[in-house]
Amino acid sequence: MPYNYTSGGTAELKLGDATYQLPILVGTEGEKAVDIRKLRAQTGYITLDSGFANTGSCASSITFLDGEHGILSYRGYAIEDLAEHCSFVEVAYLLAHGSLPTRQELTCFSHMLGKYALIHEDMIRFFDGFPANSPPMAILSSMVNSLCSFYPEMLDNPLENIDKMAARLISKVRTIAAFSYKKSMGQPLVYPRHDLSYCANFLNMMFDSPVQPYVINDTVVAALNKLLILHGDHEQNCSTATVRVAGSARVNLYASISAGINALWGPLHGGANQAVMEMLQLIHNEGGNYKKYIERAKDPNDPFRLVGFGHRVYKTHDPRSRIIKKACDDVLAALNIADPLLDIAKELEEVALKDSYFVERHLYPNVDFYSGIIYRAIGIPTNMFTVMFALGRLPGWIAHWKEMWDDPDWRISRPRQVYVGPRRRPFVPLDQRAG
Ligand code: SDX
């Protein structure tokens, strides 16, 4: 076994008169898996697991989640410690390289991020081709994919200079995001500055203007660092799994990340942070009647779901949501903002967590429930909230893409299926088809 699994004995599978022994693998945090990698060859059977709720796609050393106990760690470090003590750049290095950087490593990495902050001037003309109201996530995935054209060397050897490519992407995605906002506002682009930190640079590119210089607020910079850290990685979530599936065909990093950006866009996934704010705004506009929406969420005949609630893995509080909720109070107090949507969100949480529908289904606020409150307080428009999620998740996607390429167990992702369509039938020529 190429990973540091430990053996958990074997599982016995009886199929008809035959009995099969399947190895049990145990991960470093005690997670147990029945190894079915030879199941079809041995038995002719496959397994079926829609949404992969019970299926592990790989071994990974990047992030550990314990959904029953609300535990999250990156490379063994608790998310609470990282959010409290680190910058986003430190955590991006940790995710991509596997260890917290030394001071020298951090300086070197920060220098690379500064060096690669510009995008090719020819790329800036792409913005003019997008209609004014283009969705920022569509722009982001298109621009990231187009980066392959400006760095064709990665097409021949996707792994060559991977650390440089990763730093280049982490820096340029920040610039692309800010430029797309400026373009949408019809304002002049603000270029990155070498003297500003990662988050301060982003905020300056977003909000500085020739007629009103942006004053960098340390509280806002700290809040943005915390938010990006909390979005850094989350093991095999939908968008990360998409990056791995695309990358498993041995496509380059930028194309794989572009695929992940599109998966994240979904309202059930990263798009939820925008949908939460739209839901809270709707409730506010209707006089704060959140109970109506709780009843709608509980109605099996109503497709409405309480956005920002529920999670495939967490069956207790999402630890990130707790940290963000506290940060909301701190940031709004520091900026002297009173946001009625935060009050609605808190009341919604309090009522839902006492309601048997949510309690029985273990539905708690997830990472998206409160994050938009802070983005809004910072001044980021709602339609860019999922772009902010992508900015934070990028180091995690890169780490998983790299890990997959290094995986001795790697194979192209190609799930099986159970066919339930028509049985074999004779062909009918066109002139003999009824109707
Ligand atoms: C993210 O995977 C990750 O790690 C993702 C993420 C990350 O960091 O990458 O954490 C980020 O995507 C967070 C999730 C953001 N999405 C939302 O907030 C959208 C609202 N949430 C739901 O759509 C739902 O909870 C999911 C998509 C998050 C999880 O879906 P599952 O695991 O497939 O759960 P399910 O649909 O099987 O629901 C189980 C039951 C159902 O009721 P019953 O059929 O048993 O009666 O719970 C109900 C669901 O109807 N339910 C909800 C609900 N979420 C689940 N009912 C009302 N409101 C909700 N939000």
Side-chain angles (χ1 to χ4, degrees):
M1 288 180 249
Y3 289 100
N4 54 338
Y5 301 116
T6 53
S7 168
T10 58
E12 201 166 85
L13 175 65
K14 286 179 76 60
L15 291 170
D17 298 334
T19 300
Y20 302 89
Q21 304 296 321
L22 298 174
I24 292 175
L25 310 176
V26 185
T28 47
E29 287 282 0
E31 212 150 21
K32 297 177 182 61
V34 176
D35 183 353
I36 59 167
R37 286 176 287 185
K38 295 186 172 61
L39 178 71
R40 192 170 185 275
Q42 288 174 338
T43 71
Y45 284 66
I46 65 169
T47 58
L48 181 64
D49 185 23
S50 53
F52 308 122
N54 305 281
T55 299
S57 61
C58 61
S60 179
S61 309
I62 300 167
T63 290
F64 174 69
L65 292 192
D66 177 334
E68 281 65 38
H69 301 97
I71 291 170
L72 169 61
S73 63
Y74 297 162
R75 302 288 191 180
Y77 294 100
I79 191 66
E80 292 80 3
D81 290 339
L82 297 173
E84 183 64 29
H85 303 297
C86 288
S87 69
F88 172 61
V89 170
E90 267 181 285
V91 172
Y93 185 98
L94 168 68
L95 286 167
H97 295 273
S99 56
L100 284 169
T102 62
R103 190 171 298 281
Q104 185 186 355
E105 287 165 337
L106 184 57
T107 303
C108 178
F109 187 52
S110 299
H111 173 72
M112 283 175 82
L113 293 175
K115 180 180 173 186
Y116 297 126
L118 290 174
I119 60 175
H120 196 293
E121 286 295 307
D122 288 352
M123 280 187 78
I124 292 175
R125 285 203 291 275
F126 295 172
F127 286 111
D128 298 333
F130 291 106
N133 61 348
S134 294
M137 285 296 273
I139 295 174
L140 186 64
S141 65
S142 308
M143 296 296 262
V144 166
N145 207 34
S146 73
L147 282 170
C148 314
S149 311
F150 293 88
Y151 304 99
E153 67 275 16
M154 71 188 309
L155 303 179
D156 300 329
N157 185 340
L159 270 186
E160 193 171 340
N161 300 318
I162 183 64
D163 291 343
K164 181 171 88 171
M165 282 196 301
R168 178 190 282 148
L169 189 57
I170 291 170
S171 191
K172 288 183 186 331
V173 168
R174 169 192 51 179
T175 304
I176 291 167
F179 281 9
S180 67
Y181 171 67
K182 283 302 201 189
K183 278 290 183 179
S184 72
M185 299 295 284
Q187 292 180 5
L189 300 181
V190 174
Y191 278 65
R193 285 172 33 186
H194 73 281
D195 61 321
L196 293 178
S197 68
Y198 186 90
C199 287
N201 228 332
F202 172 74
L203 292 165
N204 192 61
M205 286 193 275
M206 285 281 288
F207 303 122
D208 191 40
S209 100
V211 294
Q212 189 173 1
Y214 177 67
V215 177
I216 291 168
N217 178 311
D218 291 343
T219 301
V220 171
V221 172
L224 184 55
N225 267 293
K226 186 169 283 190
L227 278 173
L228 295 183
I229 288 168
L230 292 169
H231 287 81
D233 190 53
H234 217 235
E235 55 141 87
Q236 303 307 317
N237 60 87
C238 178
S239 53
T240 300
T242 302
V243 168
R244 279 181 171 260
V245 168
S248 75
R250 288 310 190 229
V251 80
N252 65 78
L253 175 65
Y254 295 174
S256 303
I257 297 297
S258 180
I261 291 169
N262 287 308
L264 184 72
W265 192 359
L268 293 188
H269 188 17
N273 58 13
Q274 175 176 339
V276 167
M277 290 309 281
E278 290 161 354
M279 176 183 73
L280 294 175
Q281 189 63 61
L282 190 62
I283 294 171
H284 177 62
N285 296 346
E286 294 178 356
N289 175 18
Y290 55 82
K291 290 181 179 171
K292 170 181 135 185
Y293 289 90
I294 287 186
E295 291 313 309
R296 283 193 58 193
K298 292 160 62 176
D299 180 352
N301 302 313
D302 188 330
F304 175 80
R305 288 198 161 176
L306 201 61
V307 196
F309 261 70
H311 199 276
R312 171 62 58 78
V313 175
Y314 289 123
K315 299 311 170 190
T316 181
H317 282 273
D318 181 332
R320 302 167 297 176
S321 171
R322 287 179 163 216
I323 296 170
I324 294 172
K325 180 180 177 182
K326 182 183 179 310
C328 282
D329 291 326
D330 299 344
V331 172
L332 267 58
L335 299 179
N336 197 24
I337 295 173
D339 187 344
L341 302 193
L342 176 58
D343 300 332
I344 292 174
K346 286 180 175 179
E347 289 169 33
L348 203 53
E349 177 186 0
E350 187 180 343
V351 172
L353 294 190
K354 291 175 184 159
D355 186 299
S356 60
Y357 173 90
F358 294 90
V359 173
E360 287 162 6
R361 292 167 179 80
H362 306 289
L363 302 177
Y364 291 84
N366 57 48
V367 68
D368 294 307
F369 192 61
Y370 287 104
S371 55
I373 300 285
I374 297 181
Y375 289 137
R376 193 165 106 122
I378 287 175
I380 291 165
T382 304
N383 72 349
M384 279 200 58
F385 285 6
T386 310
V387 169
M388 299 309 294
F389 194 141
L391 221 55
R393 185 52 53 88
L394 182 56
W397 285 335
I398 292 170
H400 282 275
W401 188 88
K402 282 175 67 180
E403 182 176 72
M404 179 197 60
W405 275 73
D406 298 337
D407 183 344
D409 207 17
W410 164 81
R411 304 182 72 191
I412 188 168
S413 292
R414 202 272 185 224
R416 292 276 181 162
Q417 63 165 25
V418 176
Y419 176 71
V420 293
R423 298 181 66 90
R424 180 64 66 88
R425 50 185 170 168
F427 177 74
V428 179
L430 180 57
D431 56 8
Q432 295 174 27
R433 292 172 203 157

